[in-house]
């Protein structure tokens, strides 16, 4: 079984389901966890449970929605970058926003990528397949990160 994992942070159940279906075409045995809000996601990433005395491994990549209740995606990203454990974690902003300010804010806050969710379902599947393959198969993570090459 693969040690590659995805954390999808998405508050819209329909978008989460579409994303899971699209990613399942490329990820095979990859474990995909869905956090349905930003508070749940931050808890998973910055306050991990301990297994056998060790912190749970970080995901290979995080797909983060921008427009979220409670804490928006930009603030989640800023908190991840401020945390020593999650500072280098790859984060892809996956959002429907094409607002210039949102794009600038995401990159200024440390996003590794900014991807707009296409409205058309076939295009959505194609885009998710491409970014899934890139982050899971092509990207090389920093040494010591859970997703770094063995």
């Amino acid at each position: 079984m693969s040690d590659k994992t995805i954390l999808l942070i998405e508050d819209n159940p329909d978008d989460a389901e579409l994303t899971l279906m699209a990613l399942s075409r490329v990820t095979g045995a990859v474990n995909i966890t869905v956090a349905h809000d930003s508070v749940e996601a931050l808890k998973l990433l910055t306050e991990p449970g301990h297994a056998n005395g060790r912190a749970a491994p970080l995901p290979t990549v995080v797909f983060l929605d921008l427009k979220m209740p409670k804490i928006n995606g930009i603030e989640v990203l800023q908190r991840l970058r401020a945390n020593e454990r999650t500072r280098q974690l790859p984060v892809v902003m996956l959002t429907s926003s094409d607002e210039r300010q949102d794009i600038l804010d995401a990159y200024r806050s440390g996003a590794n990528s900014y991807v707009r969710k296409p409205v058309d379902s076939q295009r959505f599947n194609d885009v998710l397949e491409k970014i899934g393959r890139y982050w899971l198969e092509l990207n090389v993570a920093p040494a010591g990160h859970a997703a770094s090459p063995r």
Side-chain angles (χ1 to χ4, degrees), residues 75-142:
E75 188 173 341
V76 170
L77 180 58
Q78 290 168 343
R79 290 184 188 192
L80 294 176
R81 294 301 179 240
N83 184 292
E84 183 64 33
R85 181 172 196 270
T86 58
R87 182 167 291 138
Q88 294 182 334
L89 180 63
V91 177
V92 175
M93 301 305 292
L94 186 59
T95 180
S96 56
S97 174
D98 63 354
E99 296 291 323
R100 179 97 177 116
Q101 192 60 51
D102 288 340
I103 297 166
L104 290 171
D105 289 346
Y107 281 114
R108 285 180 182 143
S109 298
N112 297 92
S113 184
Y114 189 100
V115 178
R116 283 194 22 227
K117 298 178 196 174
V119 177
D120 173 78
S121 63
Q122 182 57 49
R123 180 83 176 112
F124 183 85
N125 285 334
D126 291 344
V127 167
L128 264 293
E129 180 178 345
K130 287 175 183 171
I131 64 173
R133 285 195 192 284
Y134 173 79
W135 288 102
L136 297 172
E137 296 174 9
L138 299 175
N139 185 63
V140 177

Side-chain angles (χ1 to χ4, degrees), residues 12-26:
N12 182 313
D14 293 333
D15 282 356
E17 186 63 31
L18 287 172
T19 303
L20 289 172
M21 287 176 15
L23 288 172
S24 70
R25 295 184 352 187
V26 296

Side-chain angles (χ1 to χ4, degrees), residues 7-10 33-48 58-59 62-64 68 71 76 80 85-86 89:
L7 175 60
L8 172 63
I9 307 171
E10 174 62 67
T33 301
V34 179
H36 298 285
D37 67 49
S38 48
V39 174
E40 177 185 359
L42 286 169
K43 186 172 183 171
L44 283 170
L45 293 168
T46 62
E47 301 173 19
L58 290 171
V62 172
F63 292 153
L64 173 60
M68 306 241 306
I71 304 171
V76 170
L80 294 176
R85 181 172 196 270
T86 58
L89 180 63

